[in-house]
Amino acid sequence: MRAFSAVDVIRAKRDGGRLSDEQIDWVVDAYTHGVVAEEQMSALAMAIFLRGMDSAEISRWTGAMIASGERLTLDVSRPTVDKHSTGGVGDKITLPLAPLVAACGAAVPQLSGRGLGHTGGTLDKLESIPGWRASLSTAEIARQLEDVGAVVCAATSGLAPADKKLYALRDVTSTVESIPLIASSIMSKKIAEGASGLVLDVKFGSGAFMKTLDQARTLASTLTSIGVAHGVPTTALLTDMNVPLGRAVGNAVEVAESVSVLQGGGPSDVVELTLALAREMLALAGISTDPAEVLASGEAYETWCRMISAQGGDPSAPLPKPSHIHTVVAPASGVLASLDAYAVGVASWRLGAGRARKEDPVQAAAGVLCLAKPGDAVTEGEPLLELHTDTPSAVPAALAALEGGFTVAAAAPAAAPIVRETIHGTV
């Protein structure tokens, strides 16, 4: 591979130029191997943040990050399809979705992450189940996909190592919000997983990284374009994250809510989004089964139990309970008009369910239970939210986060659909 000067590459993007394929391949590889210094990649990341990248640059950058590590070969008898969410509050959808799609006949290799800030992490939630383990070898992943049809675990260390380095750097250089860098980060990991199809849940609203529908649409279009360029059929759903998903926000409480969905109950919005994503995943896998019928049959719950057991967990074990519960009551009688996802997410984080840094511990039992959602009638002085924590001293900070985070009015707000748009990227 031809060597370039890091300074020349930085200057080219700083001045609004387009990076060549060779420059991109070199700089990503050189950064991965420590040839390009952290301060140089910081400067390049900021130049990309300010100047952007065209679609060809983004696709090539994604490919270079994939090439920095291994690419899983999923030799299983079922069609493989994956799902990724851009993150939200109460977003436990992976938990019921993976076993549901597996019960319909697909293989779901769901390599997931941990929470940071106000957004929850799938692995943190599942680790509240006694005995469950997140780290699996490539051989274990393949075996579980064949035997069970679904695996939710941590990414193996060899997948897209360039992204791991760059992700950490973006977090401390205020370049997280760059769409080229967000899109290439997501897609490098997902394409490296080796699934034959991908469905993206791109969220917008107060509890999402993309605050507006237009921003989410731009990101979704970029993501699907990358998938197509790399031969992976990709569908994106644009979904509302102004209100928490479901009624549980945290770790163990979200597992309990997910189990309720798999057993035929659960909040209607969680069920709605789970089925919407399942239908798109099954369409990419070429399976015509109706996921609503499979969910109602109990087969998805059986698959959940097998999936948890295969990773050392006990699906029948009691989930952790908090040592302290603080109740927030309705300030007036009427209808809950709003419940801000970001406020609830920050409150849950401050109670111990999330982390400020990747190395911080989380509390399995911490979180928020939303006893009412927008549109529900409430009575002054009656419980509205439950704050769960093992650290009572954290409650005042959580209450501060909730100030102005909900309103009570005389009439119900207009109902808004969860899924606003769907973008199909076909190869």
Side-chain angles (χ1 to χ4, degrees), residues 268-284:
S268 59
D269 57 346
V270 177
V271 175
E272 178 186 344
L273 185 53
T274 299
L275 291 175
L277 290 164
R279 292 187 180 102
E280 296 295 344
M281 293 173 73
L282 293 170
L284 289 181

Side-chain angles (χ1 to χ4, degrees), residues 51-356:
R51 293 294 193 172
M53 282 180 156
D54 64 29
S55 59
E57 283 179 290
I58 298 171
S59 178
R60 189 71 179 204
W61 188 276
T62 304
M65 291 205 294
I66 295 169
S68 72
E70 64 184 13
R71 185 165 178 167
L72 295 185
T73 301
L74 301 174
D75 185 18
V76 295
S77 59
R78 306 177 183 214
T80 56
V81 63
D82 193 10
K83 165 260 181 187
H84 176 79
S85 168
T86 56
V89 178
D91 182 15
K92 74 279 297 171
I93 299 299
T94 290
L95 278 62
L97 179 65
L100 172 58
V101 174
C104 292
V108 185
Q110 182 72 59
L111 305 191
S112 298
R114 302 187 184 280
L116 193 62
H118 75 280
T119 60
T122 299
L123 300 183
D124 298 324
K125 297 166 191 178
L126 287 168
E127 283 180 336
S128 66
I129 300 172
W132 186 88
R133 63 188 178 100
S135 297
L136 301 180
S137 67
T138 300
E140 287 175 317
I141 292 171
R143 183 165 58 250
Q144 187 169 322
L145 283 175
E146 187 63 43
D147 295 344
V148 179
V151 59
V152 182
C153 65
T156 60
S157 59
L159 285 182
D163 178 65
K164 291 182 176 67
K165 286 189 69 175
L166 185 55
Y167 188 93
L169 189 70
R170 288 165 51 214
D171 197 41
V172 298
T173 57
S174 194
T175 54
V176 169
E177 296 88 349
S178 166
I179 282 184
L181 296 178
I182 292 172
S184 58
S185 174
I186 291 170
M187 295 301 287
S188 64
K189 295 190 289 279
K190 288 298 171 181
I191 294 171
E193 287 176 12
S196 57
L198 176 62
V199 174
L200 302 163
D201 182 359
V202 181
K203 299 188 178 298
F204 68 92
S206 71
F209 289 109
M210 300 291 108
K211 300 304 180 186
T212 69
L213 181 58
D214 284 344
Q215 290 173 332
R217 187 183 297 115
T218 299
L219 176 58
S221 297
T222 304
L223 291 165
T224 54
S225 295
I226 294 172
V228 170
H230 287 269
V232 180
T234 304
T235 298
L237 274 61
L238 276 58
T239 67
D240 194 322
M241 184 34 72
N242 285 296
V243 176
L245 263 171
R247 294 178 179 269
V249 179
N251 295 313
V253 288
E254 291 195 40
V255 173
E257 188 166 86
S258 299
V259 170
S260 179
V261 170
L262 288 164
Q263 292 177 331
S268 59
D269 57 346
V270 177
V271 175
E272 178 186 344
L273 185 53
T274 299
L275 291 175
L277 290 164
R279 292 187 180 102
E280 296 295 344
M281 293 173 73
L282 293 170
L284 289 181
I287 296 173
S288 59
T289 302
D290 182 357
E293 293 181 359
V294 174
L295 184 62
S297 73
E299 293 176 61
Y301 175 65
E302 294 174 6
T303 303
W304 159 267
C305 292
R306 293 171 58 212
M307 182 182 79
I308 296 303
S309 296
Q311 291 174 238
D314 182 355
S316 64
L319 293 166
K321 299 293 184 183
S323 62
H324 182 78
I325 296 177
H326 180 91
T327 302
V328 177
V329 301
S333 297
V335 176
L336 188 64
S338 67
L339 181 62
D340 183 69
Y342 179 73
V344 175
V346 172
S348 178
W349 167 23
R350 291 179 176 177
L351 290 166
R355 53 174 63 82

